Amino acid sequence: PTTTPSMTLFPYTTLFRSVLLMLLGVAIVYLAVKLIYRYNWNKGLSAKLDFDKKHVVKDDVVNLTEVVTNEKKLPLPCVNLKFQAARELRFPDTDTNSSVSDKTYRNDVFSFLANQRITRKVPVRCTKRGVFRISGLEITFAGLFMNEINVLKSENECEITVYPKAADARELKPVNSRISGEAQRKKYMLEDPFVFRGIRDYTSNDSLKNVNWKASARTGNLMVNEYDESVSRNVCILLNLEESGALRYDAVDEEAISIASGIAEMLVSQGINVSIISNGCDVDTHNHVFVQGGAGMGHLNNINTALARIDTGIAMEEYSAMLEKILEPDNMRIESEYVYVLISASRRKKLQSVINKISRLQADMVWIVPHFPEDDYGLELCDFEPVGWEVK
């Protein structure tokens, strides 16, 4: 039998139709999946950042916890979590998910199954004193076929306060001797046995006559009675952060703040009440930093928090003008029972004049001058010698 052309082409026509239908089916599935992901990828998707600690000391390492949740049955093969942080927050050098320029830009990749939550802890080194916030997140999804750009913005309030690193205790010894010598003259040598404060653990410096034997038997450790002093020792730290010349040096400002933190820590450990008056301004309120007198570790945390929140970029009042207001009759007078410790790289003549006036009213004054090597730090208009503090 003979074959006609139509009969010869029939198998190829059928194959062509099958391929066409298959391609059409693939296209329909592709478009359906693409649209499903396009309109549903961000449903039930959320992210949150938080620091493991709210307060750390400069150069400490803290974990930044990333929690990303996919609360739906749709899996997400590749999701990027992006955010910006201050460049002073340093991620590990081996970390390839960060880039640093004016800020630190972070880009973490997650892959989700249905109804899955992923938690990661990323170590961060806090290289500078201050208050650092992460306030916004972006979650991006490139589509199932990696050919789209879908963005979900999320609000996130994440904050950490980095305390200044206290000045080296060994370098503070000469300052401590001078301050303690002045403060010691302000108190009676004996505690008042009639003013009971509380009970605490025994230390090697305590007298056995103060041991509370009942409390010791109850706790199993030696406990001593603690009494208030007849006259409290008080030190007021005067922290001046105005520039010493035409230029402002961050290294000098930061060293001055570290000295204030170190002195406060040293004095609080000796049971001395500490207060601070500074022309440095709070990062949020823009008010001058003022911490009332107090003692104890809780008070030291308050001092370090106030010091951490100082923003030296905010315009500040001339310190001599601030001190003159203190001397005005209607305002707080210079207190006779206080020792005043001025930390100031600036040695302007007007400031020296005001400080000398305070020194004559109240002889217990110590001036610490942070300075670069080879710089002069003498006081021409003051009746006392300053303490030089070399900024390395």
Side-chain angles (χ1 to χ4, degrees):
T2 60
T3 58
T4 63
S6 61
M7 293 177 61
T8 305
L9 294 175
F10 178 74
Y12 298 102
T13 303
T14 303
L15 179 61
F16 176 75
R17 289 177 179 175
S18 299
V19 172
L20 186 61
L21 290 173
M22 183 178 66
L23 292 176
L24 183 60
V26 169
I28 292 173
V29 171
Y30 169 79
L31 290 174
V33 171
K34 186 175 181 178
L35 290 174
I36 288 172
Y37 269 92
R38 177 179 294 176
Y39 294 108
N40 295 280
W41 73 274
N42 57 355
K43 293 182 179 179
L45 186 63
S46 61
K48 184 179 180 181
L49 300 181
D50 204 2
F51 291 99
D52 285 0
K53 299 177 182 178
K54 298 301 181 185
H55 303 88
V56 295
V57 179
K58 177 191 170 190
D59 291 331
D60 281 356
V61 176
V62 64
N63 285 326
L64 176 63
T65 303
E66 302 174 339
V67 180
V68 187
T69 306
N70 179 33
E71 294 180 323
K72 59 178 176 294
K73 294 182 179 180
L74 195 66
L76 297 173
C78 184
V79 172
N80 294 73
L81 176 64
K82 299 181 179 183
F83 60 89
Q84 301 174 10
R87 61 179 301 166
E88 289 80 11
L89 300 179
R90 300 281 180 85
F91 294 91
D93 293 337
T94 56
D95 194 332
T96 59
N97 294 339
S98 302
S99 61
V100 180
S101 55
D102 58 327
K103 293 184 178 181
T104 298
Y105 296 89
R106 183 82 183 173
N107 183 8
D108 289 310
V109 182
F110 294 83
S111 181
F112 291 98
L113 299 175
N115 296 312
Q116 185 180 16
R117 173 179 293 171
I118 298 177
T119 300
R120 290 180 185 171
K121 292 184 180 293
V122 183
V124 181
R125 181 177 295 279
C126 304
T127 64
K128 189 176 181 181
R129 167 202 64 84
V131 178
F132 302 101
R133 299 182 176 100
I134 300 174
S135 58
L137 304 174
E138 277 190 2
I139 305 175
T140 63
F141 177 60
L144 188 63
F145 305 103
M146 301 296 179
N147 59 355
E148 298 182 17
I149 299 178
N150 300 292
V151 179
L152 173 64
K153 293 187 177 182
S154 175
E155 293 297 325
N156 184 87
E157 292 299 329
C158 178
E159 178 180 301
I160 187 169
T161 302
V162 182
Y163 290 162
K165 193 169 187 177
D168 193 334
R170 292 171 295 181
E171 296 186 27
L172 282 172
K173 282 184 178 179
V175 180
N176 183 29
S177 299
R178 186 159 171 181
I179 296 174
S180 298
E182 301 290 350
Q184 192 66 22
R185 300 193 301 108
K186 297 293 183 183
K187 67 178 286 290
Y188 294 117
M189 297 300 295
L190 298 177
E191 294 174 321
D192 190 341
F194 300 104
V195 184
F196 179 74
R197 184 192 301 173
I199 300 173
R200 59 172 173 81
D201 291 330
Y202 173 84
T203 66
S204 58
N205 296 324
D206 292 319
S207 172
L208 288 176
K209 69 180 182 180
N210 290 331
V211 173
N212 188 316
W213 298 107
K214 290 184 179 180
S216 299
R218 186 168 58 253
T219 61
N221 298 319
L222 275 179
M223 308 294 290
V224 295
N225 294 327
E226 191 173 24
Y227 303 96
D228 279 329
E229 296 167 349
S230 298
V231 176
S232 297
R233 293 178 293 174
N234 301 282
V235 172
C236 180
I237 299 174
L238 305 173
L239 178 60
N240 177 24
L241 296 175
E242 67 190 9
E243 64 276 7
S244 57
L247 300 177
R248 173 175 293 280
Y249 295 97
D250 288 341
V252 176
D253 291 339
E254 295 303 320
E255 191 70 20
I257 293 172
S258 294
I259 295 169
S261 175
I263 290 176
E265 182 178 326
M266 175 186 69
L267 297 176
V268 166
S269 68
Q270 299 173 20
I272 297 176
N273 295 326
V274 181
S275 57
I276 289 185
I277 302 174
S278 176
N279 57 349
C281 297
D282 184 273
V283 64
D284 290 327
T285 66
H286 291 201
N287 293 331
H288 297 137
V289 168
F290 172 70
V291 181
Q292 292 184 340
M297 291 307 298
H299 183 64
L300 180 61
N301 289 337
N302 292 338
I303 290 175
N304 280 322
T305 298
L307 294 176
R309 294 182 60 83
I310 292 177
D311 185 350
T312 56
I314 299 174
M316 58 188 71
E317 185 177 358
E318 188 176 351
Y319 205 59
S320 57
M322 285 185 61
L323 294 180
E324 284 178 336
K325 291 178 182 178
I326 294 175
L327 292 173
E328 290 178 1
D330 295 335
N331 293 324
M332 183 178 68
R333 302 286 189 92
I334 294 297
E335 301 290 345
S336 59
E337 71 270 16
Y338 274 73
V339 174
Y340 289 89
V341 180
L342 173 64
I343 305 171
S344 174
S346 172
R347 296 176 293 111
R348 296 179 179 178
K349 291 184 178 181
K350 188 174 181 181
L351 178 62
Q352 289 191 44
S353 177
V354 174
I355 290 298
N356 204 43
K357 183 178 180 181
I358 295 174
S359 177
R360 288 173 179 175
L361 291 173
Q362 162 56 275
D364 302 312
M365 170 72 71
V366 179
W367 187 334
I368 302 173
V369 182
H371 64 91
F372 290 118
E374 309 303 327
D375 283 355
D376 174 48
Y377 58 89
L379 304 176
E380 301 87 356
L381 304 180
C382 291
D383 300 332
F384 57 90
E385 292 296 323
V387 177
W389 187 284
E390 189 172 293
V391 179
K392 299 181 177 59

